């Protein structure tokens, strides 16, 4: 992939907003007790998503009072129409979709996708054993439908660098609350959590951090943010995601993308889908590249990038998931960009396992509007120590050899970490899957 080469752009995904100021809950205290209180304010459904866990009852009384609404937003700020927000039952909510179709304000294909998404989301939340599943589904889906319908009526256009929209409607919290009930936190893990604290110190010193990662689902940004909410809220809210054009054009995905810090690019996988638009896409990628360079020169930026050019997909024969191969040229271009920023930069390999939450289609699709499958499942992320280019390529005899060796070193680290997460989550071995290089923990268990 080659987002960093304007002539052959690629998909990157990243989740940080370097220009968004942190909320008081993220900066005024670093104690675990403060973060535990903050998590309830930001994520009122955290407990509900873990209702199947033995500790769920502990939190029911604490969170019941906040379960009636997903976001603290005044009525006038909900969007174009309050029809979805005012729905008091599943029947009401779905009937609004039909009324808007009949009124000609909602295209049939989008309406069908919304109905399909509702059923899939409902099944996933009920699968969790959530005692308040019905309320959670209705609350989250009526806000989601309101945001989707608003974008149909008044389409939002993303700039090359998009900062998360936090007011008057908080799209970041909206996305967090929506994905939270899909995560089985009891079976979710973070590898080498202390390294994220190391990154925060580097960011405070004005240095840049780059996360080289595999990419599994549209839920990746929310999963990363949720798993780091209690330990590293600064990272959760400030990652910059390099995002492919599909997540900023699909009406069912756009509202979630609006809550993330994005560098928007066109994926080279879809560069020539419409030949007459190819030049426009390349020019847009050039603008995004310039934005990235400016951000890095300012320092204190953390950017998440998937140099595979898209989401991981299962092997068609074995049906096994594994990180897709990295593009060595894209990685080398990113490294050079970091080196030329005039600011100290650190490149870390990061693995993520969350494909069951929202798996992609089996094959890459050209058409916008993929079917959204949703499930309740454990997730995991892991980071390994940064990999120094000079050390990783000391024995290489040419620039091309060095480029390939560095890419392989990063990929091998991600692959190793992914296997540990796979053993812990899908192999049901939990913390016992820890190795000498990947120490697993469950930060959110501190809330129990």
């Amino acid at each position: 992939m080659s987002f960093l080469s304007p002539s052959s752009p690629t998909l990157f995904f990243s989740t940080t907003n370097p220009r968004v100021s942190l909320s008081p809950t993220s900066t005024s205290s670093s104690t675990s007790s403060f973060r535990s209180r903050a998590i309830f304010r930001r994520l009122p459904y955290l407990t509900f998503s873990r209702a199947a866990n033995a500790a769920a009852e502990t939190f029911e009384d604490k969170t019941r009072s906040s379960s009636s609404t997903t976001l603290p937003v005044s009525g006038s700020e909900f969007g174009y129409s309050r029809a979805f927000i005012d729905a008091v039952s599943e029947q009401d909510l779905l009937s609004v979709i039909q009324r808007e179709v009949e009124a000609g304000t909602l295209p049939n294909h989008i309406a069908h996708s919304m109905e399909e998404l509702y059923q899939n989301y409902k099944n996933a939340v009920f699968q969790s054993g959530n005692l308040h599943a019905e309320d959670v589904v209705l609350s989250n889906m009526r806000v989601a439908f309101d945001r989707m319908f608003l974008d149909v009526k008044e389409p939002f256009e993303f700039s090359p660098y998009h900062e998360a929209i936090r007011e008057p409607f908080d799209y970041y919290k909206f996305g967090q609350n929506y994905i939270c009930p899909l995560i089985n936190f009891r079976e979710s893990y973070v590898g080498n959590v202390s390294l994220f604290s190391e990154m925060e110190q580097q960011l405070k010193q004005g240095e840049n951090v780059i996360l080289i990662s595999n990419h599994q689902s549209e839920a990746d940004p929310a999963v990363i943010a949720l798993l780091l909410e209690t330990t590293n809220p600064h990272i959760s809210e400030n990652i910059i995601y390099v995002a492919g054009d599909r997540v900023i054009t699909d009406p069912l995905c756009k509202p979630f993308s609006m809550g993330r810090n994005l560098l928007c690019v066109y994926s080279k996988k879809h560069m020539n889908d419409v030949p007459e638009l190819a030049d426009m896409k390349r020019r847009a990628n050039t603008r995004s590249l310039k934005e990235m360079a400016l951000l890095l020169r300012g320092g204190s930026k953390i950017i998440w990038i998937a140099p595979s050019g898209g989401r991981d997909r299962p092997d068609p024969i074995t049906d096994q998931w594994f990180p897709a191969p990295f593009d060595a040229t894209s990685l080398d271009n990113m490294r050079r960009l970091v080196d030329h920023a005039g600011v100290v930069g650190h490149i870390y390999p990061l693995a993520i396992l969350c494909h069951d939450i929202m798996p992609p289609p089996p094959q890459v699709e050209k058409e916008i509007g993929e079917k959204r499958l949703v499930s309740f499942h454990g997730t995991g992320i892991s980071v390994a120590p940064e990999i120094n280019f000079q050390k990783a390529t000391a024995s290489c005899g040419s620039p091309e050899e060095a480029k390939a060796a560095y890419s392989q070193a990063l990929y091998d680290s991600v692959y190793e970490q992914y296997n540990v997460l796979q053993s812990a989550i899908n192999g049901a071995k939990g913390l016992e899957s820890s190795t000498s290089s990947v120490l697993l923990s469950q930060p959110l268990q501190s809330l129990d």
Side-chain angles (χ1 to χ4, degrees):
M1 92 179 170
S2 167
F3 159 63
L4 300 174
S5 173
S7 63
S8 56
T10 280
L11 169 65
F12 276 151
F13 227 3
S14 99
T15 28
T16 312
N17 190 344
R19 299 177 189 171
V20 171
S21 60
L22 295 178
S23 66
T25 58
S26 299
T27 59
S28 61
S29 171
S30 61
T31 65
S32 60
S33 62
F34 180 86
R35 284 170 177 165
S36 295
R37 293 193 300 273
I39 198 76
F40 287 117
R41 289 195 294 272
R42 289 195 295 268
L43 303 173
Y45 289 136
L46 174 60
T47 299
F48 298 157
S49 71
R50 305 166 64 195
N53 301 346
E57 291 80 4
T58 305
F59 302 104
E60 273 183 35
D61 293 337
K62 295 181 181 179
T63 57
R64 193 183 302 277
S65 61
S66 64
S67 66
S68 60
T69 183
T70 304
L71 295 166
V73 183
S74 62
S76 62
E77 301 298 346
F78 268 108
Y80 184 84
S81 169
R82 287 194 54 88
F84 288 106
I85 297 302
D86 290 337
V88 296
S89 68
E90 174 182 305
Q91 183 178 0
D92 284 349
L93 188 64
L94 298 179
S95 66
V96 175
I97 295 177
Q98 187 57 39
R99 287 203 303 270
E100 297 299 342
V101 170
E102 293 173 354
T105 54
L106 186 63
N108 272 301
H109 70 282
I110 296 179
H112 174 75
S113 295
M114 291 169 68
E115 292 173 343
E116 186 176 68
L117 176 61
Y118 178 87
Q119 294 301 330
N120 290 339
Y121 187 80
K122 173 185 175 181
N123 292 340
V125 177
F126 273 79
Q127 176 190 352
S128 71
N130 189 327
L131 299 178
H132 302 274
E134 186 174 352
D135 292 337
V136 172
V137 172
L138 179 61
S139 181
N140 282 345
M141 289 307 302
R142 63 187 183 185
V143 178
F145 283 175
D146 174 78
R147 294 291 103 182
M148 295 170 189
F149 182 58
L150 171 61
D151 192 73
V152 169
K153 300 295 292 184
E154 302 171 8
F156 180 82
E157 293 188 9
F158 289 83
S159 57
Y161 171 58
H162 168 79
E163 295 183 83
I165 299 175
R166 304 300 302 267
E167 58 182 24
F169 179 89
D170 195 332
Y171 280 90
Y172 171 81
K173 289 184 180 179
F174 155 65
Q176 297 299 93
N177 287 343
Y178 182 89
I179 297 298
C180 189
L182 302 178
I183 298 179
N184 182 348
F185 288 95
R186 191 176 182 85
E187 297 179 6
S188 294
Y189 303 87
V190 176
N192 300 327
V193 68
S194 63
L195 288 178
F196 289 105
S197 297
E198 176 180 291
M199 293 176 199
E200 287 195 338
Q201 289 302 313
Q202 292 165 343
L203 293 169
K204 289 179 181 178
Q205 295 167 9
E207 300 168 0
N208 294 318
V209 172
I210 307 299
L211 301 175
I212 301 298
S213 174
N214 65 313
H215 171 28
Q216 294 221 307
S217 78
E218 292 176 344
D220 285 5
V223 169
I224 293 171
L226 285 166
L227 292 182
L228 296 177
E229 274 281 351
T230 58
T231 58
N232 305 96
H234 178 84
I235 291 178
S236 290
E237 298 191 36
N238 286 276
I239 296 178
I240 299 171
Y241 298 87
V242 185
D245 57 296
R246 301 177 77 78
V247 300
I248 62 173
T249 53
D250 190 317
L252 267 64
C253 191
K254 287 177 67 177
F256 301 97
S257 299
M258 290 163 69
R260 307 291 162 183
N261 308 306
L262 305 177
L263 280 161
C264 304
V265 302
Y266 286 93
S267 169
K268 73 177 181 181
K269 289 183 177 181
H270 300 284
M271 183 60 57
N272 296 307
D273 286 355
V274 183
E276 55 268 30
L277 296 180
D279 286 342
M280 178 277 293
K281 293 179 179 180
R282 293 191 180 93
R283 289 194 298 271
N285 280 5
T286 299
R287 291 194 295 271
S288 296
L289 177 60
K290 292 179 179 178
E291 287 283 354
M292 179 183 282
L294 288 173
L295 290 170
L296 290 172
R297 289 172 193 166
S300 296
K301 306 302 186 296
I302 177 168
I303 301 178
W304 181 94
I305 299 174
S308 59
R311 289 169 287 183
D312 302 336
R313 283 178 165 81
D315 184 280
I317 298 176
T318 66
D319 201 36
Q320 295 296 308
W321 291 76
F322 54 86
F326 290 170
D327 183 279
T329 298
S330 293
L331 261 177
D332 191 61
N333 287 336
M334 184 68 213
R335 179 189 64 79
R336 291 173 180 274
L337 196 62
V338 173
D339 288 347
H340 294 161
V343 175
V344 175
H346 307 271
I347 298 179
Y348 291 86
L350 180 135
I352 180 168
L353 192 159
C354 67
H355 57 78
D356 283 297
I357 295 292
M358 202 174 291
Q363 291 85 31
V364 176
E365 297 181 350
K366 289 187 176 183
E367 298 298 324
I368 297 295
E370 67 185 54
K371 181 177 182 179
R372 262 76 183 187
L373 299 177
V374 186
S375 180
F376 174 77
H377 206 274
T379 63
I381 61 173
S382 177
V383 67
E386 60 180 299
I387 295 180
N388 180 273
F389 177 77
Q390 300 301 329
K391 292 181 180 179
T393 62
S395 62
C396 296
S398 68
E400 285 301 312
E401 185 180 349
K403 182 169 63 175
Y406 186 58
S407 176
Q408 191 63 46
L410 283 161
Y411 179 82
D412 288 346
S413 177
V414 170
Y415 192 89
E416 177 188 5
Q417 295 178 79
Y418 185 85
N419 283 338
V420 173
L421 294 173
Q422 172 80 3
S423 173
I425 299 169
N426 295 326
K429 294 183 179 180
L431 297 176
E432 295 180 2
S433 296
S434 295
T435 67
S436 59
S437 56
V438 181
L439 178 61
L440 296 177
S441 61
Q442 294 182 289
L444 288 175
Q445 293 302 306
S446 64
L447 296 179
D448 290 350

